[in-house]
Amino acid sequence: MKRMVLFFLCLTGLGFVHSQVETMKINKETFLKPSLNSLGYLMLNVDTVIWQQTMASIGIPALPANKKVNVMEYKKTADGLSQYVGFDDRFWVLTIIWKDESGNNYITKELKKSLKKNLYNNTGYYKIQYQGYDLIIEIESNKEKAINEMITVEIERK
């Protein structure tokens, strides 16, 4: 419960309280767009009916309970595109994984631009400070034949 309050305080100060999840359309399919607003909204509403309704409204069904490892996991696959959204309550980490077999659609490009001034180091970590707490966002991208991207969001442990 303490962590949830901490996240609420961090994200309230960052201006995410009234934001909504942003989406994007690719080939007539709707996917979660990882923006600061989306990440903040998901972290604020984690483990709630609102979170689940939001994911369902963009066509990302929850995995069956017998396949869950984390508190919540969602996966959507369509036309060579796949997106995974998960939240792990043991480590309090939000994870978004994107794969595009065509190699045409990067989803982290805008997020990286918005976080550029907050670059923590050269390996793709970004830190946003609020009242002594550090929110860490890590972005990993790889393109060989396909685009593979992963975003994780957590509070820095000191």
Side-chain angles (χ1 to χ4, degrees):
M1 186 62 177
K2 218 179 219 183
R3 288 182 180 172
M4 190 63 158
V5 171
L6 179 61
F7 266 106
F8 181 76
L9 290 173
C10 286
L11 296 173
T12 301
L14 293 170
F16 295 138
V17 173
H18 300 293
S19 61
Q20 296 293 317
V21 169
E22 295 177 41
T23 59
M24 59 187 181
K25 287 218 179 247
I26 301 174
N27 301 335
K28 298 181 182 177
E29 289 290 333
T30 304
F31 293 95
L32 173 71
K33 180 178 182 180
S35 65
L36 290 176
N37 289 337
S38 295
L39 298 175
Y41 182 86
L42 291 175
M43 291 299 279
L44 278 178
N45 292 289
V46 73
D47 201 18
T48 65
V49 172
I50 295 170
W51 210 88
Q52 295 171 37
Q53 289 172 343
T54 300
M55 300 310 288
S57 72
I58 60 175
I60 302 179
L63 291 177
N66 64 348
K67 295 199 176 196
K68 286 185 180 181
V69 175
N70 303 331
V71 169
M72 288 178 281
E73 291 184 317
Y74 297 82
K75 185 175 181 181
K76 181 175 185 175
T77 304
D79 302 324
L81 304 169
S82 65
Q83 187 171 46
Y84 165 89
V85 181
F87 181 79
D88 185 328
D89 70 335
R90 295 165 295 179
F91 301 104
W92 210 259
V93 175
L94 173 69
T95 303
I96 299 170
I97 299 173
W98 173 257
K99 184 171 183 178
D100 176 12
E101 293 177 10
S102 73
N104 294 326
N105 300 287
Y106 283 96
I107 65 163
T108 58
K109 191 180 284 187
E110 288 180 39
L111 181 61
K112 285 179 183 177
K113 284 181 187 176
S114 66
L115 289 170
K116 191 172 187 173
K117 66 182 176 206
N118 299 305
L119 187 62
Y120 183 53
N121 62 32
N122 290 330
T123 59
Y125 287 88
Y126 302 85
K127 182 172 17 178
I128 300 171
Q129 288 190 332
Y130 176 72
Q131 293 186 356
Y133 298 103
D134 296 320
L135 184 66
I136 301 294
I137 300 173
E138 179 185 5
I139 301 173
E140 294 179 30
S141 298
N142 182 21
K143 181 180 181 185
E144 289 178 15
K145 294 181 181 178
I147 292 174
N148 295 292
E149 298 177 289
M150 183 169 79
I151 303 162
T152 56
V153 183
E154 63 182 303
I155 286 183
E156 182 179 36
R157 291 165 181 82
K158 294 182 180 186

